[in-house]
Amino acid sequence: MRRIAFAVVSAVIMVLGGSTASAQGKYGADSAECIKYLSYYKEYYKSKNYDSALPNWRKAYSLCPATANQTMLIDGTSLMRRLIVKNASNASYRDALIDSLLTLHKVRAEYYPKYKVTAMNNMGLDMANYYKSDPKKLYEGLKSVIDENKEQTKPSVLLINLNAAIQMYQDSELQADDLINIYQNNMAYLEQAVPADANAKEELEKVKDDMESLFISSKVASCEKIIEVYGPRYEASPDDIALVTNIVKMMSSAENCTDNDLYLNAATSLHKLEPSSQSAYFLYKLNASRGNFDTAIAYLEESLSSTDLDVKTAADYNYEAATYCVKNGKNAKALAFAEKAKELDASYAGKSYYLIGTIWGSTTCGGDEIAKRSPYWVAVDYMNKAKAADPELAEDCNRMISQYRIYFPQTAEAFMYNYTDGQTYTVSCGGMRATTTVRTQK
């Protein structure tokens, strides 16, 4: 038995000695001690005895070159984080531990270039955790990570960097132009990023949305600055949906920033890329506010033709279109929209009849005296229909009827043209047509 035991021990010594000799470069000048403490700390670490692992890890780290073992650096970051938590009340020691933690990331990035991106991103996340109370320090630290990793920067790091920059801007430590450039730079890296899988893609898209929302809510950019920065970008890429969406969101949030060509053009591009009844209606409102009647009505008709529009909303839009057409002197179109509104929703009957009555009451027809006065008969017809459909309109309708009756022809005058009370009469002018009855002043 003693011979067997001796042989085994001798074999282990020979192997260890051989390994040490052949690995002088990897494990440093005192390779045996390096290997010993690497082994010690790992055993404790695996068994989750971190308090015992720490002094042995420190000894290994002091003895072993960085190239000895990448896991030593990774495990070291975990041990440092635990130590930071335990010493949270000791500010100076905690800061020193944080510096040591970040140094481990830098060393890993330097000596293991294949894992540089991961190491730098992990350093950024640790900065976000430990520098959160110091926006400037956090921003500058994360900037160093972003400058190294560029489009490979972890999306959340880019977002946290922007948030820190916004806090600096709010503390008057950063200029508006600088903040806009940071936002553009970080968004550009997000656009260039290539997600590894579906989960990474989902995270990326969420961070894009969050970054846009964060920047927009900061209200850093004046309308003039947005136009200056994004005008050329829109001209270069009017079909970039991410860009035009961002422009519309930012300009909608900025003060007094919707009455300009960039906003209208971006909203138009957005509708072209992602059409819907809502976006068509929005473009109707935009163009209507700018006096672009034909374009506005075209978009409203497009909205009304959408299959995703419910009946109640369609009735609302039709009545709104009717009133818009009246204001712009397009009575025939107004009448058609009003008729459609009450057809879709009976609650619009009274208002639609009333509106149609006012249209006829303001219509000027050519021809003889009877033809010129005939629109008032139609106007009164619709006022009577309006108050029958909606009694709450009775007072207004009666007032309008009294005004219109003044313009009815005299009995003798009607007789001269061979018309008598109660006779059927067809009115046709201004692109409108209606059948009514002859009425004279009594």
Side-chain angles (χ1 to χ4, degrees):
M1 276 299 283
R2 292 184 51 139
R3 290 180 183 174
I4 294 172
F6 179 77
V8 170
V9 170
S10 299
V12 169
I13 292 173
M14 290 176 62
V15 169
L16 183 58
S19 298
T20 304
S22 63
Q24 284 289 333
K26 179 177 180 180
Y27 293 104
D30 196 347
S31 58
E33 287 295 290
C34 167
I35 292 171
K36 181 175 76 175
Y37 282 102
L38 279 175
S39 177
Y40 286 170
Y41 104 76
K42 283 182 180 178
E43 287 302 314
Y44 287 121
Y45 192 90
K46 287 177 183 178
S47 62
K48 298 184 180 181
N49 185 351
Y50 301 116
D51 289 340
S52 296
L54 182 61
N56 288 285
W57 175 86
R58 278 178 165 156
K59 190 68 176 179
Y61 186 68
S62 67
L63 290 168
C64 304
T67 53
N69 189 293
Q70 182 180 191
T71 304
M72 174 183 69
L73 303 176
I74 298 171
D75 292 343
T77 61
S78 297
L79 292 170
M80 286 298 110
R81 292 188 193 105
R82 295 180 64 85
L83 204 55
I84 289 168
V85 172
K86 289 181 68 174
N87 292 275
S89 60
N90 187 336
S92 58
Y93 185 41
R94 178 180 181 275
D95 289 344
L97 291 171
I98 292 171
D99 288 342
S100 297
L101 170 62
L102 301 184
T103 297
L104 289 172
H105 290 303
K106 292 175 185 176
V107 169
R108 184 185 179 199
E110 179 182 355
Y111 287 96
Y112 298 90
K114 182 179 177 181
Y115 299 96
K116 177 181 177 181
V117 168
T118 300
M120 296 301 289
N121 278 330
N122 288 343
M123 183 170 75
L125 294 175
D126 278 328
M127 287 176 175
N129 191 30
Y130 299 119
Y131 289 168
K132 62 180 68 175
S133 61
D134 189 338
K136 184 176 181 180
K137 191 171 186 178
L138 177 58
Y139 165 73
E140 291 175 348
L142 295 183
K143 183 178 182 301
S144 67
V145 173
I146 295 167
D147 288 345
E148 288 290 333
N149 281 3
K150 297 182 169 53
E151 74 277 3
Q152 292 180 288
T153 304
K154 192 171 180 63
S156 58
V157 170
L158 292 165
L159 180 63
I160 297 167
N161 173 257
L162 176 65
N163 188 50
I166 289 173
Q167 291 181 59
M168 289 177 64
Y169 167 75
Q170 293 169 343
D171 294 338
S172 301
E173 294 182 334
L174 198 66
Q175 297 298 313
D177 285 359
D178 294 327
L179 180 53
I180 292 172
N181 289 334
I182 292 165
Y183 168 71
Q184 288 182 291
N185 184 68
N186 288 8
M187 277 298 290
Y189 284 144
L190 288 177
E191 294 296 339
Q192 295 166 24
V194 180
D197 52 37
N199 290 335
K201 183 177 181 180
E202 184 177 349
E203 179 196 1
L204 178 63
E205 294 304 318
K206 184 179 184 306
V207 170
K208 285 181 184 178
D209 290 342
D210 290 346
M211 188 172 290
E212 287 178 356
S213 298
L214 185 63
F215 181 72
I216 290 168
S217 64
S218 75
K219 297 186 183 296
V220 62
S222 66
C223 189
E224 293 75 15
K225 179 59 68 174
I226 294 172
I227 293 172
E228 176 188 333
V229 171
Y230 285 92
R233 290 182 62 185
Y234 173 79
E235 292 299 325
S237 304
D239 295 327
D240 182 338
I241 191 166
L243 174 63
V244 297
T245 300
N246 195 23
I247 291 172
V248 170
K249 284 182 179 179
M250 279 196 296
M251 301 189 89
S252 296
S253 176
E255 187 175 355
N256 300 320
C257 200
T258 57
D259 188 19
N260 58 77
D261 289 342
L262 177 58
Y263 184 74
L264 177 62
N265 292 338
T268 302
S269 290
L270 184 58
H271 173 68
K272 176 184 173 184
L273 295 166
E274 289 187 342
S276 69
S277 61
Q278 289 83 1
S279 60
Y281 175 76
F282 182 60
L283 285 172
Y284 148 70
K285 298 290 283 186
L286 275 183
N287 282 280
S289 69
R290 295 165 70 90
N292 303 331
F293 176 82
D294 290 338
T295 304
I297 286 296
Y299 277 118
L300 187 51
E301 289 175 334
E302 181 182 342
S303 179
L304 289 168
S305 68
S306 298
T307 57
D308 62 335
L309 197 65
D310 63 85
V311 174
K312 179 63 172 67
T313 304
D316 294 343
Y317 287 3
N318 271 283
Y319 186 77
E320 184 177 356
T323 59
Y324 175 60
C325 288
V326 168
K327 291 176 183 177
N328 285 274
K330 306 294 183 180
N331 288 342
K333 272 188 168 293
L335 193 149
F337 280 122
E339 290 281 2
K340 188 65 177 177
K342 68 180 180 62
E343 177 187 320
L344 290 169
D345 187 345
S347 67
Y348 273 106
K351 291 192 292 184
S352 294
Y353 284 138
Y354 184 87
L355 183 62
I356 294 170
T358 61
I359 291 171
W360 279 106
S362 63
T363 297
T364 301
C365 291
D368 58 34
E369 284 303 311
I370 302 302
K372 290 177 181 178
R373 295 170 183 268
S374 62
Y376 298 109
W377 296 330
V378 182
V380 170
D381 292 340
Y382 277 101
M383 289 300 165
N384 284 322
K385 289 181 179 180
K387 64 181 181 178
D390 186 353
E392 291 185 2
L393 295 174
E395 184 177 346
D396 290 334
C397 291
N398 288 334
R399 184 177 64 254
M400 299 303 293
I401 288 170
S402 296
Q403 293 178 21
Y404 295 146
R405 278 177 174 165
I406 297 172
Y407 300 101
F408 285 4
Q410 296 292 329
T411 302
E413 186 178 24
F415 182 75
M416 288 177 57
Y417 290 95
N418 296 318
Y419 292 108
T420 57
D421 282 293
Q423 188 175 346
T424 299
Y425 189 96
T426 299
V427 185
S428 181
C429 67
M432 302 181 297
R433 186 180 181 88
T435 298
T436 185
T437 55
V438 174
R439 274 152 286 179
T440 60
Q441 294 190 36
K442 306 300 184 200

